[in-house]
Amino acid sequence: MHDIAYRVFLFLYAFFLVFTICSQLLTLWGAPFVTLYGAGMLALWAGGLALRLTPLLIAAFGPSCLRLPSLRVDAGAIRSRGRAVRVQAVVLAIAFVIGLAAVYRAPHDFTPFWLGCLGAAALALLPAARQATGPPIVALHAQTDAIEGPAWGWAYPLFLLVALGFYFATSVPDGDDALFLNIASGAQRSREGLMTLDTMLGIDGLGFIKSTYRLEAFIPLAALIADVLGVETILAAHAVLPVLSIAFALSVYVVVLQAFLGRHWPAALVFLLLLTLILAGSYTAYGNFGFTRFFQGKALLVSTVVPLVGALALAAILRGGVLLSALLAGAVIIGIGASANGIFLGPILVAVVAATFFLGGDRRQRLAAVALGTAVVYPAALAGYLLVFDPPAPSEFEDAGRIGTVFWSLLGRPYAVVLFLTGLFAAAAAGLMNPRLRLISLFVAVYLVCVVNPFTWDLLGRYVTGNVNFRLFWALPVPFIGAVFLGVLWQSVRAPVFRAGMLGALALGCLLPGALPQETERFRWEWSLIKVHSPEYAIAERVNAAAPPGALMLAPEAIALWLTTFDNFRPVVDARPIYTPQRAHLMPADRLRRRAALFDWITGTPVEADIPRLIDEVGVRAVLVPPGEAGAAMRPVLAASGFTATDGAFGGYGLFLRGAAE
């Protein structure tokens, strides 16, 4: 039983990898839906075949293969270094305080702190700093207590049950399902070609909204599961597929944490789970993509695949071998299948790790770093294909924003900002504590220069991210790095009081404002197989049942986004405002403008337009008006246009119908 996590990892790794490649080829080709059955069977066969590689995986990436040392602060070394250490400490403290104060004084401007971090890294990387002038301040001691497999053999199934229980006992809905589930259910209805036409607006022959979504294997996999089981798409996506994703995520955590921490991996896994709750912050935050969000592939990418890519890139350089390089390349591909953001997140992390060792490693490590380029060949080919044959639609964001503003929105709360900036600055200066830690300083410098750079921020937004630059922070797996660091502290200090204090502090952190359990608008404790907003989802169900089949529906966003998730849904004028600019290449500007004006009107935004004329031109046959004064003002307009109210309980909303559905 000690190898169960490795076996689950290999099976699901091979399954997701093969299905991702097949799905991407089939969707880019526009193949019929039935071909997904072949992809699914091939993926299952590949998963079973991969189990034979378990001994090879354990040999190449098994317990303690990347074992991190324990840390000991040497007070005597500080005294022996004398004045030099005090001067360095004062300089670093001043730079940190100035940078932190600048972040608070002008949250939009990250440049002062960015410069301070680079300065700390440069100081740690100076040739004089590489040569120890005395004993290192932080001593590193090798760990020899390799993990005993059978002793922790029961831990993976236990953690898996806890994670699944937590997922089904909580609910953190997300509006992105308006598109994801609509594409999946539409693929089952329009079986002639995968992701070739729009299935949301009811316009015959309208093209697919954005080509990058064709790279996401999670969407067709949810559609395939729903088709095989004969259940609603939302049930397959929210209750079945997450079981596979969570099992894969737990296997990744166990395998990677064992490689870094040996028998101390269970403590680090607990730290990781708690950190994902604490670092929730906002919609863009790291913790928002923990287990509560595993009904979307984006969560698997951010919380699991990115750490796996980083660990495999590190292992491929330090240990070498064809298996690790192949696993790395496959992990990058799985990330793209989980979310199209993986097409740049995985390669960015691989590039930063490779650049770090190319600049700071020995000759063998430099050659291994260059060889990591093979891991980005496939995503580069996909990106090239899309740019030439199917360029992505315009972004919903007009600019990339300022780094500081994006940074604050990512972390959400002042305490989280302070902790993150303190950790980042400390990592930049790590080489001053011990020369063997200078690669950490170099990694931070490379990441800041190549990824989070105020002077190249807009360029990355324009040519890489589509101006959604907050996702660049996701290339740095902060919760996982934090859990590994805490695991090192756990193995370094054996005192029960210290260890209990670590666990207690993290548990109390879940009670802080900004932690996910405290975000009552997003987070709910409730047993749920589907993750939806209540009562909006129930209202959408009743509205969808009351409207005639095929009737074009105009409804406020809160209801419209859920209308699109049903397998038998009625087409909508639109579901979310962010989709409007993404369709600019699909329909004439005046047609898009009419739909946007109607959607603004029904959501309560003042518009200067002839609403009855727009209703006639667009062909609206059903309108759901909101409760309150806004809806009361809309009712006379609809009555004058020939709409009549429909009897039914719609939670305060009013459903108006006109004529027969087309």
Side-chain angles (χ1 to χ4, degrees), residues 535-536 539-540 542-543 555-560 602 623-628 631 635 646 648-656:
E536 290 83 357
I539 295 171
R542 293 195 291 270
V543 169
E557 180 182 358
I559 306 300
I602 200 66
V623 178
L624 186 71
V625 300
R635 291 170 185 260
T646 301
F650 303 112
Y653 289 83
L655 179 61
F656 288 76

Side-chain angles (χ1 to χ4, degrees), residues 426-484:
L432 295 172
M433 304 295 102
N434 189 306
R436 290 170 58 190
L437 299 178
R438 65 188 180 86
L439 280 176
I440 297 177
S441 300
L442 184 56
F443 177 88
V444 173
V446 171
Y447 179 77
L448 290 176
V449 170
C450 296
V451 184
V452 186
N453 187 329
F455 303 101
T456 61
W457 187 252
D458 290 335
L459 290 175
L460 288 175
R462 190 176 305 126
Y463 298 110
V464 177
T465 70
N467 287 332
V468 283
N469 279 22
F470 62 82
R471 293 170 182 169
L472 290 173
F473 284 100
W474 294 347
L476 192 66
V478 169
F480 198 86
I481 292 173
V484 170

Side-chain angles (χ1 to χ4, degrees), residues 175-180 182 198 200-201 209 552-565 569-580 583 595-596 599 602-603:
D176 284 347
D177 274 339
L179 183 64
F180 297 153
N182 180 265
D198 175 89
M200 183 183 292
L201 304 187
I209 184 170
L552 181 60
M553 174 80 67
L554 176 61
E557 180 182 358
I559 306 300
L561 71 88
W562 295 117
L563 284 170
T564 64
T565 65
F569 85 106
R570 293 5 175 191
V572 296
V573 171
D574 215 331
R576 302 181 75 198
I578 63 173
Y579 300 149
T580 301
R583 293 192 172 99
R595 284 181 170 262
F599 195 61
I602 200 66
T603 54

Side-chain angles (χ1 to χ4, degrees), residues 349-421:
L349 184 53
V350 171
V352 172
V353 173
T356 299
F357 281 92
F358 185 81
L359 295 173
D362 55 32
R363 182 176 181 276
R364 188 197 65 79
Q365 291 171 345
R366 291 191 180 97
L367 292 175
V370 172
L372 290 191
T374 57
V376 301
V377 171
Y378 185 84
L382 285 180
Y385 176 87
L386 291 182
L387 289 173
V388 173
F389 297 104
D390 197 359
S395 173
E396 62 270 30
F397 296 96
E398 296 182 358
D399 59 69
R402 302 286 294 275
I403 290 183
T405 305
V406 172
F407 176 75
W408 272 91
S409 71
L410 182 78
L411 295 169
R413 300 287 177 168
Y415 70 85
V417 173
V418 171
L419 286 175
F420 181 89
L421 294 182

Side-chain angles (χ1 to χ4, degrees), residues 168 225 229 231 234-245 529:
F168 285 111
I225 292 173
L229 299 180
V231 299
I234 192 171
L235 187 63
H238 286 194
V240 181
L241 185 51
V243 175
L244 301 179
S245 301
L529 295 179

